Amino acid sequence: MNPLHWLTQFLQVLAALAAAPLFVGWINQCRAWLQNKSAPSMLQPYRGLRKLFYKDAVLATHASQLFRIAPYIVFGAMVSAAAVIPSLGTRLPFSDAADAIALVGLFAVARVFISLAAMDVGTAFGTLGARREMLVGFLAEPALLMVIFVASLISASTALPAISEGLATRTLALYPSLAFTGVAFVLVLLAENARIPVDNPATHLELTMIHEAMLLEYSARHLALMEWAAALKLFNYACIGFALFLPWGAATGAAPNPVVVLASVPILAIKLASAGAVLALIETISAKLRVFRAPEFLATAFLLAVLGLLVHLLLGA
């Protein structure tokens, strides 16, 4: 394989690790601006991670080895997902090892381990959060798979890099099926990343929190890895959206130009800045749903994805 492909792969993983906390910081800053509040620094997530890595870990009395290794598995799954999502280029050495269905499987592995770790210590809040997390995942994964299937039917491939390259090199056209699935994907992104209206990452109210409830027993480096993995998950979902609905800007072709590869970095930064601002706007104008309304929210996403599939199958558009 072309050495430039390995360079693209390395830059992509490095960009994901470095930019994921910055992406979260940008969203928090945009939310503060929209709510007319004093905005925190975009570098605040980095400072939080640095502080946690320097602290000594405190473990629950009855924590097993599963509780200790779960942060590393979750973080590794998110890094592996970042390696197969075409954010900077479509010809990636690691992309041959996993298609879009396996990518959803990586997200499922992370969800299972974080839920098992939350139940491992036997606290009420951890078990509550794990049950809610599995409920959201059970409803969100079919909708995400349906979104990917629509794009795979258009591109005749289930590999996300091939889908992205196929859509980027096609003649510019409007696909109503992608419009429906695009809305469905945004709903899944909000639910899977514990964002408003399904969850609020800025609160610790025990009756409403989902993701934060599973992290209450973690501290120091374990909590840092979990927080970093959550930022990577949001970054990965944003890059999946770019690959499916805004594939332009990434390096394509069997022998990409090094200049094109380097130019894809600022293009990705512009996409992330725009996506972060839109996500902050959605969260600002939305109200937090009750927990039992989350299935209705995700059922709407699934129906929109199915509608996009039917539009493509019946109309070929």
PDB file of all heavy atoms in Angstrom, residues 10-43:
ATOM      1  N   PHE A  10      -2.264   7.673  10.108  1.00  0.00           N
ATOM      2  CA  PHE A  10      -1.657   8.192  11.342  1.00  0.00           C
ATOM      3  C   PHE A  10      -2.191   9.588  11.666  1.00  0.00           C
ATOM      4  O   PHE A  10      -2.542   9.873  12.817  1.00  0.00           O
ATOM      5  CB  PHE A  10      -0.134   8.223  11.188  1.00  0.00           C
ATOM      6  CG  PHE A  10       0.575   8.872  12.335  1.00  0.00           C
ATOM      7  CD1 PHE A  10       0.746   8.203  13.541  1.00  0.00           C
ATOM      8  CD2 PHE A  10       1.076  10.166  12.220  1.00  0.00           C
ATOM      9  CE1 PHE A  10       1.394   8.811  14.608  1.00  0.00           C
ATOM     10  CE2 PHE A  10       1.731  10.773  13.275  1.00  0.00           C
ATOM     11  CZ  PHE A  10       1.884  10.081  14.480  1.00  0.00           C
ATOM     12  N   LEU A  11      -2.259  10.455  10.661  1.00  0.00           N
ATOM     13  CA  LEU A  11      -2.762  11.806  10.896  1.00  0.00           C
ATOM     14  C   LEU A  11      -4.216  11.786  11.331  1.00  0.00           C
ATOM     15  O   LEU A  11      -4.641  12.604  12.170  1.00  0.00           O
ATOM     16  CB  LEU A  11      -2.601  12.649   9.628  1.00  0.00           C
ATOM     17  CG  LEU A  11      -1.179  13.051   9.240  1.00  0.00           C
ATOM     18  CD1 LEU A  11      -1.191  13.792   7.906  1.00  0.00           C
ATOM     19  CD2 LEU A  11      -0.542  13.909  10.321  1.00  0.00           C
ATOM     20  N   GLN A  12      -4.978  10.853  10.806  1.00  0.00           N
ATOM     21  CA  GLN A  12      -6.397  10.782  11.134  1.00  0.00           C
ATOM     22  C   GLN A  12      -6.605  10.392  12.591  1.00  0.00           C
ATOM     23  O   GLN A  12      -7.397  11.016  13.302  1.00  0.00           O
ATOM     24  CB  GLN A  12      -7.087   9.773  10.217  1.00  0.00           C
ATOM     25  CG  GLN A  12      -8.569   9.620  10.463  1.00  0.00           C
ATOM     26  CD  GLN A  12      -9.262   8.839   9.368  1.00  0.00           C
ATOM     27  OE1 GLN A  12      -9.265   9.268   8.219  1.00  0.00           O
ATOM     28  NE2 GLN A  12      -9.831   7.696   9.715  1.00  0.00           N
ATOM     29  N   VAL A  13      -5.886   9.367  13.044  1.00  0.00           N
ATOM     30  CA  VAL A  13      -6.008   8.958  14.442  1.00  0.00           C
ATOM     31  C   VAL A  13      -5.489  10.050  15.371  1.00  0.00           C
ATOM     32  O   VAL A  13      -6.097  10.350  16.413  1.00  0.00           O
ATOM     33  CB  VAL A  13      -5.261   7.633  14.681  1.00  0.00           C
ATOM     34  CG1 VAL A  13      -5.299   7.252  16.158  1.00  0.00           C
ATOM     35  CG2 VAL A  13      -5.860   6.522  13.832  1.00  0.00           C
ATOM     36  N   LEU A  14      -4.371  10.674  14.998  1.00  0.00           N
ATOM     37  CA  LEU A  14      -3.816  11.750  15.808  1.00  0.00           C
ATOM     38  C   LEU A  14      -4.781  12.930  15.882  1.00  0.00           C
ATOM     39  O   LEU A  14      -4.970  13.537  16.955  1.00  0.00           O
ATOM     40  CB  LEU A  14      -2.475  12.190  15.223  1.00  0.00           C
ATOM     41  CG  LEU A  14      -1.704  13.270  16.005  1.00  0.00           C
ATOM     42  CD1 LEU A  14      -1.335  12.744  17.390  1.00  0.00           C
ATOM     43  CD2 LEU A  14      -0.459  13.691  15.237  1.00  0.00           C
ATOM     44  N   ALA A  15      -5.401  13.254  14.751  1.00  0.00           N
ATOM     45  CA  ALA A  15      -6.365  14.358  14.737  1.00  0.00           C
ATOM     46  C   ALA A  15      -7.569  14.054  15.613  1.00  0.00           C
ATOM     47  O   ALA A  15      -8.084  14.939  16.313  1.00  0.00           O
ATOM     48  CB  ALA A  15      -6.807  14.639  13.299  1.00  0.00           C
ATOM     49  N   ALA A  16      -8.016  12.800  15.592  1.00  0.00           N
ATOM     50  CA  ALA A  16      -9.160  12.421  16.426  1.00  0.00           C
ATOM     51  C   ALA A  16      -8.824  12.554  17.906  1.00  0.00           C
ATOM     52  O   ALA A  16      -9.607  13.114  18.694  1.00  0.00           O
ATOM     53  CB  ALA A  16      -9.589  10.995  16.103  1.00  0.00           C
ATOM     54  N   LEU A  17      -7.657  12.052  18.309  1.00  0.00           N
ATOM     55  CA  LEU A  17      -7.261  12.121  19.714  1.00  0.00           C
ATOM     56  C   LEU A  17      -7.096  13.563  20.176  1.00  0.00           C
ATOM     57  O   LEU A  17      -7.465  13.914  21.309  1.00  0.00           O
ATOM     58  CB  LEU A  17      -5.956  11.355  19.931  1.00  0.00           C
ATOM     59  CG  LEU A  17      -6.031   9.836  19.790  1.00  0.00           C
ATOM     60  CD1 LEU A  17      -4.641   9.225  19.818  1.00  0.00           C
ATOM     61  CD2 LEU A  17      -6.896   9.239  20.887  1.00  0.00           C
ATOM     62  N   ALA A  18      -6.532  14.402  19.313  1.00  0.00           N
ATOM     63  CA  ALA A  18      -6.261  15.784  19.704  1.00  0.00           C
ATOM     64  C   ALA A  18      -7.492  16.672  19.600  1.00  0.00           C
ATOM     65  O   ALA A  18      -7.695  17.566  20.431  1.00  0.00           O
ATOM     66  CB  ALA A  18      -5.136  16.351  18.839  1.00  0.00           C
ATOM     67  N   ALA A  19      -8.322  16.453  18.587  1.00  0.00           N
ATOM     68  CA  ALA A  19      -9.428  17.375  18.319  1.00  0.00           C
ATOM     69  C   ALA A  19     -10.709  17.027  19.064  1.00  0.00           C
ATOM     70  O   ALA A  19     -11.581  17.894  19.196  1.00  0.00           O
ATOM     71  CB  ALA A  19      -9.711  17.415  16.815  1.00  0.00           C
ATOM     72  N   ALA A  20     -10.852  15.791  19.541  1.00  0.00           N
ATOM     73  CA  ALA A  20     -12.103  15.400  20.200  1.00  0.00           C
ATOM     74  C   ALA A  20     -12.400  16.266  21.429  1.00  0.00           C
ATOM     75  O   ALA A  20     -13.515  16.808  21.557  1.00  0.00           O
ATOM     76  CB  ALA A  20     -12.061  13.923  20.569  1.00  0.00           C
ATOM     77  N   PRO A  21     -11.457  16.449  22.372  1.00  0.00           N
ATOM     78  CA  PRO A  21     -11.766  17.347  23.500  1.00  0.00           C
ATOM     79  C   PRO A  21     -12.001  18.791  23.066  1.00  0.00           C
ATOM     80  O   PRO A  21     -12.842  19.495  23.650  1.00  0.00           O
ATOM     81  CB  PRO A  21     -10.515  17.231  24.390  1.00  0.00           C
ATOM     82  CG  PRO A  21      -9.883  15.931  24.007  1.00  0.00           C
ATOM     83  CD  PRO A  21     -10.148  15.790  22.548  1.00  0.00           C
ATOM     84  N   LEU A  22     -11.276  19.236  22.035  1.00  0.00           N
ATOM     85  CA  LEU A  22     -11.467  20.597  21.541  1.00  0.00           C
ATOM     86  C   LEU A  22     -12.857  20.762  20.935  1.00  0.00           C
ATOM     87  O   LEU A  22     -13.487  21.827  21.070  1.00  0.00           O
ATOM     88  CB  LEU A  22     -10.399  20.924  20.494  1.00  0.00           C
ATOM     89  CG  LEU A  22     -10.348  22.370  19.994  1.00  0.00           C
ATOM     90  CD1 LEU A  22      -9.967  23.315  21.117  1.00  0.00           C
ATOM     91  CD2 LEU A  22      -9.358  22.498  18.834  1.00  0.00           C
ATOM     92  N   PHE A  23     -13.355  19.729  20.277  1.00  0.00           N
ATOM     93  CA  PHE A  23     -14.698  19.762  19.695  1.00  0.00           C
ATOM     94  C   PHE A  23     -15.744  19.913  20.791  1.00  0.00           C
ATOM     95  O   PHE A  23     -16.694  20.703  20.660  1.00  0.00           O
ATOM     96  CB  PHE A  23     -14.927  18.479  18.889  1.00  0.00           C
ATOM     97  CG  PHE A  23     -16.236  18.425  18.155  1.00  0.00           C
ATOM     98  CD1 PHE A  23     -16.672  19.494  17.398  1.00  0.00           C
ATOM     99  CD2 PHE A  23     -17.031  17.288  18.215  1.00  0.00           C
ATOM    100  CE1 PHE A  23     -17.878  19.443  16.711  1.00  0.00           C
ATOM    101  CE2 PHE A  23     -18.228  17.221  17.535  1.00  0.00           C
ATOM    102  CZ  PHE A  23     -18.663  18.299  16.781  1.00  0.00           C
ATOM    103  N   VAL A  24     -15.572  19.181  21.891  1.00  0.00           N
ATOM    104  CA  VAL A  24     -16.496  19.320  23.020  1.00  0.00           C
ATOM    105  C   VAL A  24     -16.403  20.716  23.618  1.00  0.00           C
ATOM    106  O   VAL A  24     -17.427  21.334  23.965  1.00  0.00           O
ATOM    107  CB  VAL A  24     -16.182  18.247  24.078  1.00  0.00           C
ATOM    108  CG1 VAL A  24     -17.035  18.463  25.325  1.00  0.00           C
ATOM    109  CG2 VAL A  24     -16.414  16.852  23.518  1.00  0.00           C
ATOM    110  N   GLY A  25     -15.174  21.237  23.743  1.00  0.00           N
ATOM    111  CA  GLY A  25     -15.012  22.593  24.265  1.00  0.00           C
ATOM    112  C   GLY A  25     -15.658  23.644  23.387  1.00  0.00           C
ATOM    113  O   GLY A  25     -16.240  24.616  23.891  1.00  0.00           O
ATOM    114  N   TRP A  26     -15.585  23.461  22.074  1.00  0.00           N
ATOM    115  CA  TRP A  26     -16.218  24.397  21.143  1.00  0.00           C
ATOM    116  C   TRP A  26     -17.740  24.363  21.283  1.00  0.00           C
ATOM    117  O   TRP A  26     -18.395  25.405  21.284  1.00  0.00           O
ATOM    118  CB  TRP A  26     -15.796  24.055  19.718  1.00  0.00           C
ATOM    119  CG  TRP A  26     -16.581  24.734  18.646  1.00  0.00           C
ATOM    120  CD1 TRP A  26     -17.402  24.145  17.733  1.00  0.00           C
ATOM    121  CD2 TRP A  26     -16.630  26.137  18.354  1.00  0.00           C
ATOM    122  NE1 TRP A  26     -17.965  25.075  16.906  1.00  0.00           N
ATOM    123  CE2 TRP A  26     -17.501  26.310  17.260  1.00  0.00           C
ATOM    124  CE3 TRP A  26     -16.009  27.257  18.907  1.00  0.00           C
ATOM    125  CZ2 TRP A  26     -17.768  27.554  16.713  1.00  0.00           C
ATOM    126  CZ3 TRP A  26     -16.288  28.513  18.372  1.00  0.00           C
ATOM    127  CH2 TRP A  26     -17.154  28.648  17.281  1.00  0.00           C
ATOM    128  N   ILE A  27     -18.315  23.166  21.432  1.00  0.00           N
ATOM    129  CA  ILE A  27     -19.763  23.059  21.609  1.00  0.00           C
ATOM    130  C   ILE A  27     -20.188  23.744  22.899  1.00  0.00           C
ATOM    131  O   ILE A  27     -21.192  24.487  22.928  1.00  0.00           O
ATOM    132  CB  ILE A  27     -20.192  21.577  21.607  1.00  0.00           C
ATOM    133  CG1 ILE A  27     -19.932  20.943  20.237  1.00  0.00           C
ATOM    134  CG2 ILE A  27     -21.665  21.439  21.971  1.00  0.00           C
ATOM    135  CD1 ILE A  27     -20.191  19.451  20.186  1.00  0.00           C
ATOM    136  N   ASN A  28     -19.446  23.517  23.976  1.00  0.00           N
ATOM    137  CA  ASN A  28     -19.785  24.157  25.256  1.00  0.00           C
ATOM    138  C   ASN A  28     -19.694  25.678  25.145  1.00  0.00           C
ATOM    139  O   ASN A  28     -20.514  26.406  25.728  1.00  0.00           O
ATOM    140  CB  ASN A  28     -18.845  23.654  26.347  1.00  0.00           C
ATOM    141  CG  ASN A  28     -19.042  22.178  26.644  1.00  0.00           C
ATOM    142  OD1 ASN A  28     -20.101  21.604  26.355  1.00  0.00           O
ATOM    143  ND2 ASN A  28     -18.028  21.546  27.196  1.00  0.00           N
ATOM    144  N   GLN A  29     -18.702  26.155  24.410  1.00  0.00           N
ATOM    145  CA  GLN A  29     -18.555  27.595  24.241  1.00  0.00           C
ATOM    146  C   GLN A  29     -19.712  28.170  23.426  1.00  0.00           C
ATOM    147  O   GLN A  29     -20.261  29.234  23.779  1.00  0.00           O
ATOM    148  CB  GLN A  29     -17.224  27.896  23.563  1.00  0.00           C
ATOM    149  CG  GLN A  29     -16.772  29.332  23.669  1.00  0.00           C
ATOM    150  CD  GLN A  29     -15.348  29.529  23.190  1.00  0.00           C
ATOM    151  OE1 GLN A  29     -15.070  29.400  22.002  1.00  0.00           O
ATOM    152  NE2 GLN A  29     -14.437  29.840  24.106  1.00  0.00           N
ATOM    153  N   CYS A  30     -20.105  27.489  22.367  1.00  0.00           N
ATOM    154  CA  CYS A  30     -21.230  27.966  21.553  1.00  0.00           C
ATOM    155  C   CYS A  30     -22.530  27.965  22.357  1.00  0.00           C
ATOM    156  O   CYS A  30     -23.345  28.897  22.234  1.00  0.00           O
ATOM    157  CB  CYS A  30     -21.377  27.090  20.306  1.00  0.00           C
ATOM    158  SG  CYS A  30     -20.068  27.305  19.082  1.00  0.00           S
ATOM    159  N   ARG A  31     -22.736  26.941  23.166  1.00  0.00           N
ATOM    160  CA  ARG A  31     -23.936  26.893  24.005  1.00  0.00           C
ATOM    161  C   ARG A  31     -23.964  28.071  24.975  1.00  0.00           C
ATOM    162  O   ARG A  31     -25.025  28.684  25.196  1.00  0.00           O
ATOM    163  CB  ARG A  31     -23.988  25.577  24.783  1.00  0.00           C
ATOM    164  CG  ARG A  31     -24.418  24.381  23.970  1.00  0.00           C
ATOM    165  CD  ARG A  31     -24.526  23.143  24.842  1.00  0.00           C
ATOM    166  NE  ARG A  31     -25.511  23.320  25.902  1.00  0.00           N
ATOM    167  CZ  ARG A  31     -25.780  22.385  26.823  1.00  0.00           C
ATOM    168  NH1 ARG A  31     -25.108  21.240  26.822  1.00  0.00           N
ATOM    169  NH2 ARG A  31     -26.696  22.603  27.735  1.00  0.00           N
ATOM    170  N   ALA A  32     -22.825  28.392  25.559  1.00  0.00           N
ATOM    171  CA  ALA A  32     -22.777  29.523  26.496  1.00  0.00           C
ATOM    172  C   ALA A  32     -23.081  30.832  25.777  1.00  0.00           C
ATOM    173  O   ALA A  32     -23.808  31.688  26.309  1.00  0.00           O
ATOM    174  CB  ALA A  32     -21.406  29.570  27.164  1.00  0.00           C
ATOM    175  N   TRP A  33     -22.532  30.999  24.586  1.00  0.00           N
ATOM    176  CA  TRP A  33     -22.810  32.217  23.822  1.00  0.00           C
ATOM    177  C   TRP A  33     -24.295  32.343  23.492  1.00  0.00           C
ATOM    178  O   TRP A  33     -24.885  33.409  23.623  1.00  0.00           O
ATOM    179  CB  TRP A  33     -21.987  32.226  22.546  1.00  0.00           C
ATOM    180  CG  TRP A  33     -20.532  32.482  22.764  1.00  0.00           C
ATOM    181  CD1 TRP A  33     -19.954  33.091  23.846  1.00  0.00           C
ATOM    182  CD2 TRP A  33     -19.457  32.123  21.882  1.00  0.00           C
ATOM    183  NE1 TRP A  33     -18.590  33.138  23.700  1.00  0.00           N
ATOM    184  CE2 TRP A  33     -18.251  32.565  22.505  1.00  0.00           C
ATOM    185  CE3 TRP A  33     -19.382  31.491  20.659  1.00  0.00           C
ATOM    186  CZ2 TRP A  33     -17.006  32.374  21.919  1.00  0.00           C
ATOM    187  CZ3 TRP A  33     -18.142  31.302  20.066  1.00  0.00           C
ATOM    188  CH2 TRP A  33     -16.970  31.741  20.694  1.00  0.00           C
ATOM    189  N   LEU A  34     -24.896  31.230  23.054  1.00  0.00           N
ATOM    190  CA  LEU A  34     -26.304  31.264  22.671  1.00  0.00           C
ATOM    191  C   LEU A  34     -27.210  31.506  23.876  1.00  0.00           C
ATOM    192  O   LEU A  34     -28.311  32.036  23.730  1.00  0.00           O
ATOM    193  CB  LEU A  34     -26.689  29.949  21.988  1.00  0.00           C
ATOM    194  CG  LEU A  34     -26.073  29.720  20.597  1.00  0.00           C
ATOM    195  CD1 LEU A  34     -26.340  28.300  20.119  1.00  0.00           C
ATOM    196  CD2 LEU A  34     -26.627  30.718  19.586  1.00  0.00           C
ATOM    197  N   GLN A  35     -26.764  31.104  25.063  1.00  0.00           N
ATOM    198  CA  GLN A  35     -27.549  31.307  26.268  1.00  0.00           C
ATOM    199  C   GLN A  35     -27.171  32.594  27.005  1.00  0.00           C
ATOM    200  O   GLN A  35     -27.616  32.813  28.129  1.00  0.00           O
ATOM    201  CB  GLN A  35     -27.361  30.105  27.203  1.00  0.00           C
ATOM    202  CG  GLN A  35     -27.905  28.811  26.629  1.00  0.00           C
ATOM    203  CD  GLN A  35     -27.517  27.600  27.450  1.00  0.00           C
ATOM    204  OE1 GLN A  35     -26.919  27.726  28.519  1.00  0.00           O
ATOM    205  NE2 GLN A  35     -27.852  26.412  26.966  1.00  0.00           N
ATOM    206  N   ASN A  36     -26.337  33.423  26.347  1.00  0.00           N
ATOM    207  CA  ASN A  36     -25.921  34.703  26.906  1.00  0.00           C
ATOM    208  C   ASN A  36     -25.219  34.535  28.256  1.00  0.00           C
ATOM    209  O   ASN A  36     -25.440  35.291  29.202  1.00  0.00           O
ATOM    210  CB  ASN A  36     -27.129  35.646  27.063  1.00  0.00           C
ATOM    211  CG  ASN A  36     -26.704  37.098  27.191  1.00  0.00           C
ATOM    212  OD1 ASN A  36     -25.616  37.483  26.744  1.00  0.00           O
ATOM    213  ND2 ASN A  36     -27.552  37.914  27.805  1.00  0.00           N
ATOM    214  N   LYS A  37     -24.350  33.521  28.311  1.00  0.00           N
ATOM    215  CA  LYS A  37     -23.573  33.254  29.508  1.00  0.00           C
ATOM    216  C   LYS A  37     -22.094  33.480  29.224  1.00  0.00           C
ATOM    217  O   LYS A  37     -21.679  33.554  28.068  1.00  0.00           O
ATOM    218  CB  LYS A  37     -23.785  31.821  29.997  1.00  0.00           C
ATOM    219  CG  LYS A  37     -25.202  31.491  30.431  1.00  0.00           C
ATOM    220  CD  LYS A  37     -25.293  30.049  30.882  1.00  0.00           C
ATOM    221  CE  LYS A  37     -26.704  29.691  31.338  1.00  0.00           C
ATOM    222  NZ  LYS A  37     -26.802  28.266  31.746  1.00  0.00           N
ATOM    223  N   SER A  38     -21.323  33.558  30.268  1.00  0.00           N
ATOM    224  CA  SER A  38     -19.875  33.671  30.115  1.00  0.00           C
ATOM    225  C   SER A  38     -19.337  32.331  29.622  1.00  0.00           C
ATOM    226  O   SER A  38     -19.517  31.304  30.279  1.00  0.00           O
ATOM    227  CB  SER A  38     -19.224  34.045  31.441  1.00  0.00           C
ATOM    228  OG  SER A  38     -17.821  34.125  31.307  1.00  0.00           O
ATOM    229  N   ALA A  39     -18.696  32.337  28.466  1.00  0.00           N
ATOM    230  CA  ALA A  39     -18.269  31.095  27.826  1.00  0.00           C
ATOM    231  C   ALA A  39     -16.980  30.575  28.441  1.00  0.00           C
ATOM    232  O   ALA A  39     -16.032  31.342  28.660  1.00  0.00           O
ATOM    233  CB  ALA A  39     -18.074  31.306  26.322  1.00  0.00           C
ATOM    234  N   PRO A  40     -16.904  29.272  28.735  1.00  0.00           N
ATOM    235  CA  PRO A  40     -15.633  28.702  29.210  1.00  0.00           C
ATOM    236  C   PRO A  40     -14.626  28.619  28.079  1.00  0.00           C
ATOM    237  O   PRO A  40     -14.977  28.690  26.901  1.00  0.00           O
ATOM    238  CB  PRO A  40     -16.047  27.310  29.697  1.00  0.00           C
ATOM    239  CG  PRO A  40     -17.238  26.963  28.845  1.00  0.00           C
ATOM    240  CD  PRO A  40     -17.959  28.268  28.623  1.00  0.00           C
ATOM    241  N   SER A  41     -13.392  28.432  28.436  1.00  0.00           N
ATOM    242  CA  SER A  41     -12.341  28.302  27.423  1.00  0.00           C
ATOM    243  C   SER A  41     -12.525  27.018  26.629  1.00  0.00           C
ATOM    244  O   SER A  41     -12.960  25.988  27.166  1.00  0.00           O
ATOM    245  CB  SER A  41     -10.967  28.310  28.094  1.00  0.00           C
ATOM    246  OG  SER A  41      -9.951  27.990  27.155  1.00  0.00           O
ATOM    247  N   MET A  42     -12.191  27.060  25.350  1.00  0.00           N
ATOM    248  CA  MET A  42     -12.251  25.857  24.535  1.00  0.00           C
ATOM    249  C   MET A  42     -11.250  24.813  25.002  1.00  0.00           C
ATOM    250  O   MET A  42     -11.402  23.622  24.709  1.00  0.00           O
ATOM    251  CB  MET A  42     -11.967  26.207  23.064  1.00  0.00           C
ATOM    252  CG  MET A  42     -13.068  26.976  22.377  1.00  0.00           C
ATOM    253  SD  MET A  42     -12.626  27.443  20.687  1.00  0.00           S
ATOM    254  CE  MET A  42     -12.258  25.848  19.974  1.00  0.00           C
ATOM    255  N   LEU A  43     -10.231  25.232  25.728  1.00  0.00           N
ATOM    256  CA  LEU A  43      -9.207  24.312  26.222  1.00  0.00           C
ATOM    257  C   LEU A  43      -9.571  23.696  27.563  1.00  0.00           C
ATOM    258  O   LEU A  43      -8.778  22.919  28.113  1.00  0.00           O
ATOM    259  CB  LEU A  43      -7.866  25.046  26.351  1.00  0.00           C
ATOM    260  CG  LEU A  43      -7.329  25.701  25.076  1.00  0.00           C
ATOM    261  CD1 LEU A  43      -6.014  26.402  25.370  1.00  0.00           C
ATOM    262  CD2 LEU A  43      -7.142  24.673  23.963  1.00  0.00           C
TER     263      LEU A  43
END
